[in-house]
Amino acid sequence: MTGAIWNLILGLAWVLLSGDFTGLNLLVGMIFGYIALVLIEHQVDALKGYPARIPRLIRFLGFFIKELVQANLRVGFDILTPPWHMKPGVIAMPLSARTEMEITMVANLISLTPGTLSLDVSDDRRVLYIHAMFLDDEDELRRSLKEMEHRALELFR
């Protein structure tokens, strides 16, 4: 978290020093700040691991956008073609996430994806119950949701 705060401070300093108060200029400042933080990472203990998070975040966003588009297309197709192809059901997915923040993030990402909805977490916080609109292949659905969980957890570790 310290790295992100320093990156934002460097981006804001860039904006203030350049005198151009636009979002694009802030982005440029944050990119230059990121490069500076990468260069000094080995000298500052608080920055350890920060430079690796940005590429992971970009990869995750690409993955999630792809999943989001595919889910929207599948739900849209099912709505627009008269004989509905949905086979709704509820599955239990074992969680690799352990902290409250990790579980909340995974549950929200699943709920944001059309066709799936997080229902509940078990009392021991090891199982997430999910309602799926298309439960044709339970193992395939569980595998794709575990992939999303794994990629989301990479952002925290």
Side-chain angles (χ1 to χ4, degrees):
M1 190 62 149
T2 304
I5 292 169
W6 275 108
N7 200 356
L8 182 60
I9 290 171
L10 290 171
L12 291 172
W14 175 269
V15 167
L16 290 172
L17 292 172
S18 69
D20 183 12
F21 298 97
T22 63
L24 182 60
N25 196 36
L26 177 63
L27 179 64
V28 169
M30 290 188 70
I31 290 170
F32 285 139
Y34 175 75
I35 292 169
L37 293 174
V38 167
L39 294 174
I40 66 167
E41 175 198 11
H42 65 282
Q43 298 171 351
V44 181
D45 289 335
L47 295 176
K48 295 293 184 217
Y50 174 70
R53 287 187 180 171
I54 300 297
R56 280 188 289 198
L57 177 64
I58 292 169
R59 280 193 307 270
F60 177 76
L61 286 175
F63 166 78
F64 187 69
I65 289 170
K66 177 187 73 99
E67 291 291 317
L68 200 59
V69 168
Q70 287 177 344
N72 274 298
L73 290 174
R74 186 167 187 190
V75 170
F77 177 78
D78 195 49
I79 290 170
L80 294 175
T81 55
W84 287 357
H85 305 288
M86 71 173 105
K87 293 181 179 141
V90 176
I91 64 167
M93 182 180 85
L95 287 171
S96 300
R98 293 293 169 237
T99 67
E100 292 290 326
M101 186 172 176
E102 290 174 347
I103 293 170
T104 301
M105 176 138 174
V106 169
N108 285 329
L109 288 170
I110 289 170
S111 292
L112 281 172
T113 309
T116 55
L117 178 68
S118 301
L119 297 175
D120 195 13
V121 178
S122 65
D123 291 337
D124 63 356
R125 297 189 327 217
R126 299 211 180 267
V127 177
L128 179 65
Y129 297 98
I130 301 162
H131 178 273
M133 208 170 137
F134 302 99
L135 197 57
D136 304 325
D137 186 0
E138 187 175 330
D139 292 331
E140 174 61 25
L141 176 64
R142 192 173 280 117
R143 187 202 56 75
S144 69
L145 293 174
K146 287 301 280 182
E147 166 101 16
M148 185 180 298
E149 177 190 26
H150 172 71
R151 288 178 181 249
L153 293 178
E154 280 183 344
L155 298 175
F156 292 103
R157 297 174 180 157

